[in-house]
Amino acid sequence: MKISELEKRSGINAHTLRYYEKSGLLKASMRSDKNYRIYSEEDLVAALFIQHCKKCGFSLSETAALLAIKHDKSQHVCAEAKQITVHKLEDITSQISRLQEMKRTLTQLQEYCCGGQESAEFCSIISMLEAGN
């Protein structure tokens, strides 16, 4: 199938599919006489796998590692996939903590500010940010 068919069947736009190919995640099974990319059913499965990895938040390198495991399951152990997943979960948990702290700080800043039309010389938000609080 050509890239337009892969795009239609996978729901992934052609630009993204080409990006995945440049990144080494996806490779067209062959090229036509006119040098068009030709994709197989296995390529469709790989594209959908990449898309699922993306939805889980895996990076390109993490996705590449998971694809390597997928493509050669007999040479890998389940613990490898689990390690990648555990590491991603730790990253996400850390990001959530940082975002929650940001939310608390922003909530506090907006509560201190009257939001009026007076000069910003007396703005509580600017003063607190200047003070590093």
Side-chain angles (χ1 to χ4, degrees), residues 52-103:
H52 292 147
C53 288
K54 182 180 176 186
K55 286 179 182 177
C56 289
F58 289 112
S59 67
L60 291 178
S61 63
E62 291 162 337
T63 299
L66 291 166
L67 271 170
I69 295 167
K70 175 192 173 310
H71 289 311
D72 199 2
K73 293 175 188 169
S74 66
Q75 297 301 309
H76 296 276
V77 295
C78 193
E80 294 173 78
K82 182 163 184 168
Q83 181 183 14
I84 294 166
T85 303
V86 166
H87 180 67
K88 178 51 66 181
L89 184 57
E90 289 169 351
D91 287 348
I92 297 293
T93 300
S94 176
Q95 289 176 23
I96 290 170
S97 293
R98 287 193 305 273
L99 288 170
Q100 288 172 333
E101 180 58 34
M102 282 184 211
K103 182 181 178 186

Side-chain angles (χ1 to χ4, degrees), residues 110-118 124:
Q110 67 92 26
E111 285 174 355
Y112 286 134
C113 184
C114 67
Q117 295 300 313
E118 47 281 323
S124 302

Side-chain angles (χ1 to χ4, degrees), residues 27-46:
K27 187 175 183 205
S29 295
M30 47 195 279
R31 294 274 185 164
S32 71
D33 295 339
K34 295 183 180 182
N35 207 27
Y36 291 119
R37 295 170 178 89
I38 304 296
Y39 296 93
S40 67
E41 289 297 317
E42 286 183 27
D43 298 326
L44 172 61
V45 170

Side-chain angles (χ1 to χ4, degrees), residues 109 112-114 120-130:
L109 285 173
Y112 286 134
C113 184
C114 67
E121 291 179 49
F122 307 105
C123 179
S124 302
I125 293 174
I126 299 300
S127 297
M128 290 181 78
L129 290 171
E130 285 177 328

